[in-house]
Amino acid sequence: MAAEREAGRLLCTSSSRRCCPPPPLLLLLPLLLLLGRPASGAAATKSGSPPQSAGASVRTFTPFYFLVEPVDTLSVRGSSVILNCSAYSEPSPNIEWKKDGTFLNLESDDRRQLLPDGSLFISNVVHSKHNKPDEGFYQCVATVDNLGTIVSRTAKLTVAGLPRFTSQPEPSSVYVGNSAILNCEVNADLVPFVRWEQNRQPLLLDDRIVKLPSGTLVISNATEGDGGLYRCIVESGGPPKFSDEAELKVLQDPEEIVDLVFLMRPSSMMKVTGQSAVLPCVVSGLPAPVVRWMKNEEVLDTESSGRLVLLAGGCLEISDVTEDDAGTYFCIADNGNKTVEAQAELTVQVPPGFLKQPANIYAHESMDIVFECEVTGKPTPTVKWVKNGDVVIPSDYFKIVKEHNLQVLGLVKSDEGFYQCIAENDVGNAQAGAQLIILEHAPATTGPLPSAPRDVVASLVSTRFIKLTWRTPASDPHGDNLTYSVFYTKEGVARERVENTSQPGEMQVTIQNLMPATVYIFKVMAQNKHGSGESSAPLRVETQPEVQLPGPAPNIRAYATSPTSITVTWETPLSGNGEIQNYKLYYMEKGTDKEQDIDVSSHSYTINGLKKYTEYSFRVVAYNKHGPGVSTQDVAVRTLSDVPSAAPQNLSLEVRNSKSIVIHWQPPSSTTQNGQITGYKIRYRKASRKSDVTETLVTGTQLSQLIEGLDRGTEYNFRVAALTVNGTGPATDWLSAETFESDLDETRVPEVPSSLHVRPLVTSIVVSWTPPENQNIVVRGYAIGYGIGSPHAQTIKVDYKQRYYTIENLDPSSHYVITLKAFNNVGEGIPLYESAVTRPHTVPDPTPMMPPVGVQASILSHDTIRITWADNSLPKHQKITDSRYYTVRWKTNIPANTKYKNANATTLSYLVTGLKPNTLYEFSVMVTKGRRSSTWSMTAHGATFELVPTSPPKDVTVVSKEGKPRTIIVNWQPPSEANGKITGYIIYYSTDVNAEIHDWVIEPVVGNRLTHQIQELTLDTPYYFKIQARNSKGMGPMSEAVQFRTPKADSSDKMPNDQALGSAGKGSRLPDLGSDYKPPMSGSNSPHGSPTSPLDSNMLLVIIVSVGVITIVVVVVIAVFCTRRTTSHQKKKRAACKSVNGSHKYKGNCKDVKPPDLWIHHERLELKPIDKSPDPNPVMTDTPIPRNSQDITPVDNSMDSNIHQRRNSYRGHESEDSMSTLAGRRGMRPKMMMPFDSQPPQPVISAHPIHSLDNPHHHFHSSSLASPARSHLYHPSSPWPIGTSMSLSDRANSTESVRNTPSTDTMPASSSQTCCTDHQDPEGATSSSYLASSQEEDSGQSLPTAHVRPSHPLKSFAVPAIPPPGPPLYDPALPSTPLLSQQALNHHIHSVKTASIGTLGRSRPPMPVVVPSAPEVQETTRMLEDSESSYEPDELTKEMAHLEGLMKDLNAITTA
């Protein structure tokens, strides 16, 4: 309860002014209440928070899974294959590959390589009759160090064999309007590569002419155009192989009835869900029949169904097969005269799937856990468990329960890792995994721990359980709040299990499920709120021998019910010794040592999913409340036999003579025989007459047969199938052999071949030959030997009919020796030798591919962007069927030298993670296929979302405000990891650094401010300051506490506001002046803080008024003087205008005339003589720009008062703090370098704001302008952003953009210069001289005006170009403070930037000049409307004359 009360105290209401604790603290509050309570030994936490206290380090589950797993793939010899695999984890996992259960060594393999995303790339697939290194089962293995290993599903790579026709098209005829079929049977894996030709031209397929999945061509509703020569072609990567040509004749309708005949009957087939099934059914007859289909006595509607389609001839296609499609299908053909029908069975198999996947588990050592896994599939999948890539073998501590669940007893640290449930059946496999984390027990908190429990004894010892009791520890005699854990282990076993008491104070526990007559070691440990105490001394106890257990179950019988299932029955044990709770059925395949068990509650059970014709042993154990009883004797039974599931192996033919052929074979593999082989069925036929098939039965175990009575010089096809009592299994592929033309001699070896020719290529040699000249000796075949320098390195044997062969996989530029020998049953003949040098390897430059298009970046989170694209080199459906892959690269432009990052993908999208928040990235994609690559695509841009700041504000400094010891100024810099635009800051300060954070005083500050002043602090007191930044996503971390002690206040340094407080007298209460009142800074009180008499106050008031009147008179006199000078200049300019423009055809005065664009806007420039007084401090000085408020030179109190009065008149009621530090925070504007002559005097141009005369406050601003030196200098390492942004409130309420204000803030008056005087007034520059010069301009004019003292007619002009209108650029990472405060918005201060010119010394380097920023869009429009900017072509000549007049005026003024 104390912890709960403390947790409640930490909470705060929504109305509280102080900040609440962060949400993660609230989530940990329930864990605080669990301190000192160990987890139960019978339960663990699944997929949730770890059951440990807040004081311990919290471990979380690591996402580790496969993004892409390999799939079954069909390839052809010589092509490239990619087996995709990609796993996700942080850090990135290490990917390895297994083939047929063995790891591949990819480092030394030149054909197989690992792609960056983990996929396996196999180039130039190798496949031959005796060498198949690439075909097999592949598995991807992902490993993360110190985390674990996971394995992917197993994928099968099949390589299509050499093209071989088992049936070829035969000549046939068809009546017009009827159907015809042309057979073309090839290896099943080559069917996708079959195409047809008619009259040596590619045959176009449509709804009337279709190719069945077997390769057979079906033509329905035949027309005369269907006649011709047909042949099928197999194109599988190598040279195409053509079948025999067969002629199809189209006959005219005989106008008589022709009986219905099945050209092709439907055949039973087995399909996997998701595949397509085509049930063939082609019927011929006249009149042409109509075909319909039924399934299980139900008529199928092929017109309205989207998945059932009636193909040409009446074949039925079922797309996307489901389990419900299984059944018996009937094809019924009817032509009105006769009806025929045929049927076929469709069997649908389902790959394994998960009904329940394993879940992540938290647990402590010694606990028991269960991983659950429920699977489905057809046939029923088998399940195995894998831990970190290794198969889990069942034992006493690893058990398979409830068919598929994995139970782990007595966890140890090494059990931690990733566990996977792998389900597998005949049509596929799948895996699902979960992570087990072994948690450390929470560390003990400060406080006394209990001592060891006393007097631990085994009060009850049975065969299957032991009851332990003990007394409370000596350190806590009462022990009401203590809980206990009992740790026990079997003697000699390292695994330890735990059992906890059910409630505090309980001092006994019963340990169940022990083994009889077994020694166990027990230890007891007590826990209190501080943690676990000492362990008791080990207690050694041996359980009793078995006495109360059930006897063996009688009459156990087992019998096979099908080729894959066995039923076991038994009866209740005679000596039950109590009620039987359940039975456990154990079974094991004969010849293995892996026994499996199933819990059964009845007296019989049927086990499915067994192997066909395989012997199994069974036994049963009965359980009662005491545990397992005596096992029955093993009962052995074999599953029923079935037809073989594979064809005989290694079929070969031997031609004996002109009339006989010997056929040899080997039985199917033992795992596919499915019973006792009773014989073999041999079928053979002439190759020219496919329909005439002869069958021969071979009984017993005979593995060869002599076929006699054949025709001379005739080719025959043979195939063999194995038989069991259940029927005939699948047959081999057709194999061909041709009998001899005559009976030849085979009593001696063949003679030498008559010729041998070789044609070398780069990596192959084509060998061709002619047979021996003596044709009377039998030749069974030819042996080709070859090698580098020796022909005996490798030997290849080919058929006797073959006349050429291509030796492949050779080295370029190598000398090979080749030998050719003919052989027969007697032996090999005399060899014939030849040599050849392979050609050098030349790599042509691959033509580049088209780059991907339509690259798009979709922002998903603060650190994740999904990149998608399209590939124009792919078909319209954008499906990737080849081995191409894509490379995605990305970078950010901040900083500018950032390097690209790359990643590969094999799909048309990629998920880029690990990006920085609130950052703009650019992405591009390229495609690679083999040795061809494209250029990079067009870039796509995407900016990640914002995130809460992850670092505190930096460079926090606290200084005392000069003259005000009770006021301090806090300065800081934005966070280095702002992760978004900073919208505000919170300043915390307190006199106690250890105080709770909600007890600190807070001061909110807007986000574009980097300084703040805090007033009314206590003197001579240490304060601690922290700053916290926030953006749109929330609050960031706090900065480290910064200590500052306010100064002591003595009589020598009290400020006037302190003196004013003192003058109120002790105990007197100051009048309420309001929150905005600020004490006067005129220094009217005594310098030592003594009270001033009423007479002195009156005298001081008279002096102040007198000084004010005199100042006003001086200002008026200077203004009149400057006005007269300006009037004389204006008269000269008007005279110049009249002299050139006497007709006055342009509207307005001469200032409205605009020259052509190639000239400078002279009418915008004011000409002014430069005062040649020897001022030692010229206008342009090298004074550095102050970085912060401390860099500004302080002035005396009277001058400071004057400055503040002028600032307030310009800026409204903005605080003094923001004014004094604005220059330090204002960003510098961009500058351009302007070269000047070394001839004196040289004009220098800088920007100054000039206010229009209709503004009542414009004249006060002249004293607060930055000097030209301050406005042009720029430090290269300045951290401030370029440009000055304004807040949205300023934009909404002010007609003047902040961009028209000076680029640097107000400087002290002592360092400012005006445009009319060369010497600075010691009291600060008055406004009179500035006002006089500004009155020369028209009150409505807002474009820049130049004050020029020329040294050359064309070198004396500045050209301030007006940038195009647009919104101001904002830097979200470094916001700046608006120039105008909210209170001053109603003044509508109107100012523009003008160029003023001052003199420099004799020689001057190029000066950086401040470039004015663009005005707002509305202002630019108004400027362009006020100025007549359109010209006619005939006015250009007058403009030139006007310009010459202006030049003369310039020369006259400068010489005056």
Side-chain angles (χ1 to χ4, degrees):
M1 294 303 294
E4 293 176 335
R5 288 194 299 271
E6 179 63 20
R9 190 183 70 80
L10 294 175
L11 301 176
C12 63
T13 62
S14 58
S15 61
S16 173
R17 180 173 179 266
R18 293 176 174 87
C19 196
C20 291
L25 183 60
L26 301 179
L27 297 177
L28 291 176
L29 290 179
L31 298 178
L32 294 173
L33 305 179
L34 298 177
L35 273 173
R37 297 184 183 179
S40 172
T45 304
K46 291 186 179 181
S47 300
S49 299
Q52 60 186 68
S53 66
S57 60
V58 178
R59 294 180 58 196
T60 59
F61 295 115
T62 302
F64 187 16
Y65 52 87
F66 285 102
L67 298 172
V68 180
E69 294 186 73
V71 296
D72 295 347
T73 304
L74 172 65
S75 178
V76 296
R77 184 180 59 175
S79 66
S80 298
V81 175
I82 289 183
L83 296 175
N84 292 316
C85 178
S86 178
Y88 173 81
S89 177
E90 289 292 340
S92 299
N94 178 40
I95 302 295
E96 296 177 286
W97 282 85
K98 282 184 176 181
K99 178 182 180 294
D100 300 330
T102 304
F103 281 100
L104 293 175
N105 184 8
L106 299 178
E107 295 181 356
S108 60
D109 197 332
D110 56 347
R111 288 192 310 104
R112 290 182 280 215
Q113 58 181 335
L114 190 68
L115 297 182
D117 64 342
S119 301
L120 178 63
F121 176 71
I122 305 176
S123 62
N124 191 19
V125 172
V126 175
H127 188 81
S128 63
K129 183 176 181 180
H130 303 290
N131 186 23
K132 303 177 181 179
D134 294 331
E135 196 172 62
F137 294 90
Y138 289 79
Q139 191 174 37
C140 177
V141 182
T143 304
V144 176
D145 293 336
N146 302 322
L147 184 61
T149 301
I150 57 176
V151 297
S152 72
R153 70 179 300 276
T154 301
K156 182 179 181 182
L157 174 61
T158 304
V159 182
L162 296 175
R164 189 168 58 244
F165 294 100
T166 55
S167 69
Q168 301 191 47
E170 296 179 351
S172 59
S173 61
V174 60
Y175 290 110
V176 173
N178 228 317
S179 299
I181 64 170
L182 293 168
N183 291 319
C184 180
E185 295 181 20
V186 296
N187 322 31
D189 47 12
L190 287 175
V191 170
F193 307 102
V194 173
R195 66 179 180 87
W196 282 85
E197 286 185 354
Q198 179 188 14
N199 297 325
R200 302 293 178 94
Q201 297 296 322
L203 180 63
L204 299 179
L205 305 179
D206 52 22
D207 294 338
R208 196 174 58 83
I209 304 175
V210 298
K211 184 189 74 172
L212 299 182
S214 62
T216 299
L217 185 68
V218 178
I219 302 175
S220 64
N221 193 19
T223 64
E224 291 183 357
D226 294 331
L229 295 175
Y230 287 82
R231 68 176 180 177
C232 64
I233 303 100
V234 180
E235 296 175 321
S236 59
K241 183 160 186 176
F242 299 88
S243 72
D244 296 338
E245 280 191 333
E247 183 180 7
L248 177 65
K249 295 181 179 180
V250 180
L251 308 177
Q252 296 298 322
D253 190 346
E255 298 183 356
E256 61 183 23
I257 297 176
V258 179
D259 284 345
L260 297 181
V261 178
F262 277 103
L263 300 180
M264 180 175 287
R265 291 175 175 269
S267 58
S268 297
M269 63 180 60
M270 184 179 296
K271 291 292 180 181
V272 181
T273 54
Q275 295 180 347
S276 294
V278 176
L279 296 171
C281 182
V282 182
V283 183
S284 174
L286 289 177
V290 176
V291 177
R292 57 188 174 90
W293 285 84
M294 296 181 64
K295 175 194 172 187
N296 300 335
E297 307 301 326
E298 179 182 352
V299 178
L300 297 179
D301 185 5
T302 58
E303 295 181 357
S304 60
S305 175
R307 293 192 310 111
L308 303 178
V309 178
L310 201 61
L311 302 179
C315 302
L316 177 66
E317 181 183 30
I318 308 173
S319 60
D320 193 15
V321 170
T322 64
E323 201 170 357
D324 296 333
D325 293 328
T328 303
Y329 289 79
F330 297 85
C331 171
I332 304 172
D334 185 7
N335 65 353
N337 297 320
K338 188 177 180 180
T339 300
V340 294
E341 73 174 39
Q343 69 180 45
E345 191 79 13
L346 175 61
T347 305
V348 178
Q349 296 181 317
V350 183
F354 290 93
L355 300 176
K356 175 183 280 188
Q357 297 188 7
N360 295 335
I361 295 179
Y362 283 112
H364 289 283
E365 286 188 81
S366 305
M367 290 175 56
D368 302 339
I369 63 165
V370 175
F371 285 108
E372 296 181 344
C373 180
E374 294 184 18
V375 299
T376 182
K378 186 178 181 181
T380 303
T382 59
V383 170
K384 66 178 180 180
W385 283 87
V386 172
K387 178 206 168 191
N388 288 335
D390 298 323
V391 177
V392 175
I393 300 176
S395 64
D396 290 341
Y397 295 94
F398 286 86
K399 297 186 177 182
I400 305 298
V401 297
K402 295 184 179 179
E403 293 189 13
H404 300 140
N405 297 341
L406 176 65
Q407 183 182 40
V408 185
L409 304 178
L411 291 176
V412 294
K413 188 65 177 177
S414 61
D415 292 334
E416 197 174 60
F418 284 86
Y419 290 78
Q420 292 175 275
C421 175
I422 299 180
E424 185 176 10
N425 63 10
D426 294 342
V427 293
N429 60 90
Q431 60 85 23
Q435 185 181 4
L436 170 64
I437 291 182
I438 307 295
L439 298 173
E440 302 290 341
H441 286 283
T445 58
T446 304
L449 298 176
S451 58
R454 297 174 291 174
D455 302 332
V456 179
V457 295
S459 59
L460 181 59
V461 179
S462 179
T463 56
R464 299 284 177 172
F465 68 91
I466 292 178
K467 182 178 181 181
L468 295 180
T469 59
W470 58 86
R471 292 172 55 209
T472 57
S475 60
D476 194 348
H478 298 289
D480 295 334
N481 295 323
L482 296 180
T483 58
Y484 298 87
S485 295
V486 178
F487 296 87
Y488 66 101
T489 181
K490 192 185 299 184
E491 190 177 52
V493 176
R495 286 184 179 270
E496 189 177 58
R497 301 179 64 185
V498 64
E499 187 75 25
N500 299 318
T501 55
S502 58
Q503 58 187 5
E506 186 178 14
M507 290 178 290
Q508 65 177 16
V509 71
T510 300
I511 310 298
Q512 302 279 355
N513 300 320
L514 302 179
M515 298 297 294
T518 305
V519 177
Y520 290 86
I521 308 298
F522 297 87
K523 293 184 294 183
V524 184
M525 187 180 298
Q527 293 97 11
N528 60 13
K529 63 180 181 180
H530 301 297
S532 299
E534 298 177 8
S535 173
S536 65
L539 176 65
R540 186 178 183 276
V541 182
E542 183 177 3
T543 54
Q544 297 291 333
E546 188 73 70
V547 286
Q548 300 289 327
L549 299 177
N555 299 328
I556 178 172
R557 293 191 297 267
Y559 54 91
T561 55
S562 76
T564 59
S565 61
I566 293 177
T567 299
V568 184
T569 62
W570 60 89
E571 296 178 3
T572 305
L574 300 178
S575 56
N577 293 326
E579 181 181 357
I580 301 298
Q581 295 179 339
N582 70 311
Y583 299 91
K584 191 177 290 282
L585 173 62
Y586 295 87
Y587 66 97
M588 180 173 59
E589 180 183 346
K590 187 177 182 180
T592 66
D593 55 357
K594 181 181 178 182
E595 188 175 48
Q596 303 183 54
D597 59 81
I598 302 171
D599 291 329
V600 183
S601 57
S602 61
H603 291 88
S604 66
Y605 189 81
T606 299
I607 304 173
N608 297 308
L610 303 178
K611 295 180 180 179
K612 297 178 180 180
Y613 199 69
T614 303
E615 186 175 354
Y616 289 86
S617 63
F618 300 87
R619 64 185 182 92
V620 176
V621 176
Y623 279 70
N624 64 6
K625 63 180 180 179
H626 303 297
V630 180
S631 172
T632 65
Q633 295 294 324
D634 288 351
V635 176
V637 67
R638 186 185 294 272
T639 53
L640 297 180
S641 63
D642 198 359
V643 296
S645 55
Q649 306 177 88
N650 302 328
L651 178 65
S652 63
L653 302 176
E654 178 187 345
V655 181
R656 282 291 178 91
N657 50 46
S658 62
K659 291 189 177 182
S660 63
I661 294 177
V662 178
I663 181 169
H664 301 269
W665 65 89
Q666 292 295 323
S669 62
S670 58
T671 58
T672 60
Q673 292 182 10
N674 301 336
Q676 188 71 34
I677 299 296
T678 59
Y680 296 91
K681 181 183 292 186
I682 302 174
R683 304 179 69 192
Y684 62 95
R685 65 190 181 187
K686 291 182 179 180
S688 59
R689 301 181 64 182
K690 301 292 179 65
S691 58
D692 231 357
V693 178
T694 304
E695 290 188 359
T696 299
L697 292 179
V698 178
T699 60
T701 59
Q702 183 177 333
L703 298 178
S704 65
Q705 178 68 23
L706 175 64
I707 308 297
E708 296 181 309
L710 305 179
D711 295 340
R712 295 174 181 269
T714 304
E715 183 181 4
Y716 286 88
N717 297 332
F718 295 85
R719 68 193 311 180
V720 181
L723 301 177
T724 64
V725 294
N726 304 88
T728 305
T732 63
D733 295 332
W734 289 102
L735 189 62
S736 300
E738 185 178 350
T739 56
F740 298 144
E741 288 287 346
S742 59
D743 291 333
L744 304 178
D745 180 16
E746 201 174 1
T747 60
R748 52 182 175 158
V749 298
E751 294 184 1
V752 62
S754 57
S755 67
L756 174 61
H757 305 279
V758 294
R759 184 165 61 92
L761 302 176
V762 178
T763 59
S764 62
I765 296 177
V766 179
V767 182
S768 60
W769 62 89
T770 55
E773 294 181 357
N774 186 356
Q775 300 288 327
N776 296 321
I777 302 176
V778 175
V779 176
R780 300 288 180 184
Y782 295 92
I784 303 172
Y786 65 94
I788 298 178
S790 171
H792 307 298
Q794 295 191 49
T795 301
I796 297 171
K797 291 187 176 183
V798 297
D799 188 75
Y800 74 95
K801 293 185 295 184
Q802 197 159 334
R803 294 293 181 266
Y804 69 92
Y805 184 80
T806 302
I807 306 173
E808 298 179 336
N809 300 323
L810 304 180
D811 297 332
S813 303
S814 300
H815 184 272
Y816 284 87
V817 178
I818 300 167
T819 181
L820 177 70
K821 294 178 288 185
F823 67 88
N824 56 21
N825 291 335
V826 177
E828 295 180 345
I830 301 173
L832 189 62
Y833 292 90
E834 192 62 76
S835 63
V837 178
T838 52
R839 298 180 183 177
H841 185 62
T842 58
V843 181
D845 293 335
T847 57
M849 301 183 68
M850 296 177 60
V853 298
V855 182
Q856 294 184 353
S858 303
I859 294 89
L860 302 183
S861 67
H862 67 275
D863 65 347
T864 305
I865 295 180
R866 180 180 294 278
I867 307 302
T868 58
W869 59 89
D871 191 342
N872 281 345
S873 62
L874 291 175
K876 290 184 178 180
H877 55 71
Q878 292 286 292
K879 185 174 292 185
I880 301 173
T881 58
D882 51 24
S883 58
R884 71 182 63 200
Y885 64 93
Y886 302 89
T887 303
V888 184
R889 71 174 184 179
W890 65 91
K891 69 183 287 287
T892 177
N893 291 328
I894 301 175
N897 58 352
T898 305
K899 295 183 179 178
Y900 280 102
K901 292 185 178 180
N902 297 282
N904 289 345
T906 55
T907 58
L908 295 178
S909 65
Y910 185 75
L911 198 66
V912 183
T913 59
L915 303 178
K916 295 180 180 179
N918 193 46
T919 304
L920 179 66
Y921 286 86
E922 65 176 40
F923 302 87
S924 53
V925 186
M926 70 179 291
V927 59
T928 301
K929 180 181 177 182
R931 291 182 289 109
R932 299 173 59 206
S933 297
S934 71
T935 58
W936 290 104
S937 68
M938 297 183 67
T939 58
H941 293 81
T944 51
F945 294 147
E946 292 188 359
L947 183 68
V948 295
T950 53
S951 65
K954 58 184 182 181
D955 300 340
V956 180
T957 58
V958 183
V959 297
S960 176
K961 187 165 186 179
E962 187 170 353
K964 292 187 178 182
R966 297 179 52 151
T967 300
I968 61 95
I969 297 174
V970 184
N971 301 305
W972 64 91
Q973 294 297 318
S976 57
E977 297 176 4
N979 298 337
K981 181 179 181 180
I982 298 299
T983 58
Y985 298 92
I986 295 180
I987 301 176
Y988 299 80
Y989 64 95
S990 172
T991 57
D992 183 6
V993 73
N994 297 319
E996 295 289 343
I997 195 62
H998 52 72
D999 291 333
W1000 291 47
V1001 182
I1002 65 173
E1003 289 280 346
V1005 182
V1006 294
N1008 52 13
R1009 295 280 300 275
L1010 296 175
T1011 185
H1012 187 72
Q1013 75 175 20
I1014 301 175
Q1015 303 176 355
E1016 302 300 328
L1017 300 180
T1018 306
L1019 299 176
D1020 194 19
T1021 304
Y1023 282 87
Y1024 299 90
F1025 298 86
K1026 297 181 180 180
I1027 304 182
Q1028 188 178 24
R1030 72 169 180 266
N1031 58 17
S1032 61
K1033 294 297 183 180
M1035 306 295 298
M1038 291 185 186
S1039 65
E1040 295 292 333
V1042 176
Q1043 180 183 5
F1044 180 80
R1045 176 181 288 274
T1046 52
K1048 298 180 181 179
D1050 51 22
S1051 59
S1052 62
D1053 60 356
K1054 284 188 177 179
M1055 296 301 293
N1057 56 345
D1058 297 321
Q1059 297 165 5
L1061 293 174
S1063 64
K1066 286 187 178 180
S1068 63
R1069 185 175 183 273
L1070 291 175
D1072 187 5
L1073 300 178
S1075 61
D1076 292 335
Y1077 172 75
K1078 295 189 180 300
M1081 301 184 64
S1082 59
S1084 60
N1085 290 334
S1086 172
H1088 297 289
S1090 60
T1092 308
S1093 65
L1095 180 59
D1096 293 339
S1097 299
N1098 293 335
M1099 181 64 74
L1100 183 60
L1101 181 60
V1102 171
I1103 294 172
I1104 291 175
V1105 172
S1106 301
V1107 172
V1109 171
I1110 293 172
T1111 304
I1112 292 173
V1113 171
V1114 173
V1115 168
V1116 171
V1117 170
I1118 296 175
V1120 171
F1121 175 74
C1122 291
T1123 303
R1124 289 181 178 178
R1125 291 186 62 188
T1126 304
T1127 304
S1128 65
H1129 287 303
Q1130 289 176 344
K1131 288 179 180 181
K1132 292 181 180 181
K1133 287 198 289 183
R1134 285 196 294 270
C1137 291
K1138 289 179 181 180
S1139 64
V1140 177
N1141 240 355
S1143 61
H1144 301 283
K1145 69 179 290 185
Y1146 301 111
K1147 295 181 180 180
N1149 56 20
C1150 66
K1151 289 187 293 182
D1152 296 330
V1153 179
K1154 293 181 67 66
D1157 290 343
L1158 69 156
W1159 292 97
I1160 304 171
H1161 295 192
H1162 299 92
E1163 72 283 5
R1164 297 300 181 190
L1165 303 177
E1166 177 189 359
L1167 308 180
K1168 176 182 175 183
I1170 299 175
D1171 195 345
K1172 300 180 180 179
S1173 72
D1175 190 355
N1177 297 321
V1179 174
M1180 303 300 269
T1181 65
D1182 292 332
T1183 306
I1185 298 175
R1187 299 298 184 90
N1188 49 42
S1189 58
Q1190 287 86 348
D1191 296 338
I1192 302 174
T1193 306
V1195 298
D1196 60 288
N1197 289 337
S1198 62
M1199 187 174 295
D1200 187 65
S1201 174
N1202 188 19
I1203 291 173
H1204 279 290
Q1205 290 175 4
R1206 297 183 181 184
R1207 286 176 179 169
N1208 291 338
S1209 66
Y1210 171 66
R1211 305 187 183 232
H1213 302 289
E1214 186 172 353
S1215 67
E1216 295 175 7
D1217 167 67
S1218 63
M1219 297 302 295
S1220 63
T1221 61
L1222 190 58
R1225 290 181 283 108
R1226 181 71 56 199
M1228 296 304 296
R1229 296 191 182 276
K1231 302 164 185 64
M1232 63 181 179
M1233 302 299 294
M1234 295 183 63
F1236 291 90
D1237 292 351
S1238 60
Q1239 301 174 359
Q1242 296 173 339
V1244 179
I1245 303 176
S1246 63
H1248 285 270
I1250 295 182
H1251 305 278
S1252 58
L1253 296 179
D1254 56 355
N1255 183 2
H1257 301 286
H1258 74 283
H1259 56 281
F1260 290 120
H1261 189 57
S1262 62
S1263 63
S1264 63
L1265 287 172
S1267 69
R1270 294 181 184 274
S1271 63
H1272 87 275
L1273 288 175
Y1274 175 73
H1275 196 280
S1277 61
S1278 174
W1280 306 109
I1282 297 177
T1284 305
S1285 62
M1286 64 181 294
S1287 66
L1288 295 178
S1289 59
D1290 292 337
R1291 183 180 294 279
N1293 299 320
S1294 175
T1295 61
E1296 177 63 24
S1297 170
V1298 176
R1299 294 176 299 163
N1300 290 336
T1301 61
S1303 63
T1304 58
D1305 196 53
T1306 308
M1307 297 294 130
S1310 61
S1311 61
S1312 299
Q1313 298 282 347
T1314 67
C1315 64
C1316 291
T1317 61
D1318 294 318
H1319 299 284
Q1320 178 63 49
D1321 191 334
E1323 291 296 323
T1326 62
S1327 64
S1328 301
S1329 60
Y1330 185 86
L1331 177 62
S1333 64
S1334 62
Q1335 283 176 342
E1336 293 179 11
E1337 299 297 319
D1338 184 51
S1339 61
Q1341 180 176 342
S1342 61
L1343 289 179
T1345 303
H1347 303 260
V1348 183
R1349 172 69 183 260
S1351 62
H1352 187 279
L1354 293 181
K1355 291 183 180 179
S1356 57
F1357 293 92
V1359 188
I1362 300 177
L1369 295 175
Y1370 291 87
D1371 186 348
L1374 296 173
S1376 57
T1377 306
L1379 185 59
L1380 304 181
S1381 64
Q1382 296 294 327
Q1383 295 93 337
L1385 292 177
N1386 56 354
H1387 291 299
H1388 301 291
I1389 300 172
H1390 188 74
S1391 66
V1392 298
K1393 293 178 176 60
T1394 65
S1396 73
I1397 296 183
T1399 56
L1400 296 175
R1402 284 281 175 181
S1403 62
R1404 193 72 169 176
M1407 280 297 168
V1409 178
V1410 177
V1411 178
S1413 61
E1416 291 293 314
V1417 176
Q1418 296 86 350
E1419 295 175 336
T1420 307
T1421 305
R1422 186 171 66 251
M1423 294 182 210
L1424 297 177
E1425 288 175 355
D1426 292 344
S1427 62
E1428 293 294 325
S1429 59
S1430 61
Y1431 298 93
E1432 298 177 1
D1434 59 347
E1435 296 172 354
L1436 295 178
T1437 305
K1438 294 182 179 180
E1439 291 295 339
M1440 298 296 293
H1442 176 212
L1443 181 62
E1444 293 179 359
L1446 289 178
M1447 292 300 169
K1448 294 179 180 179
D1449 284 349
L1450 285 173
N1451 292 331
I1453 292 172
T1454 54
T1455 56

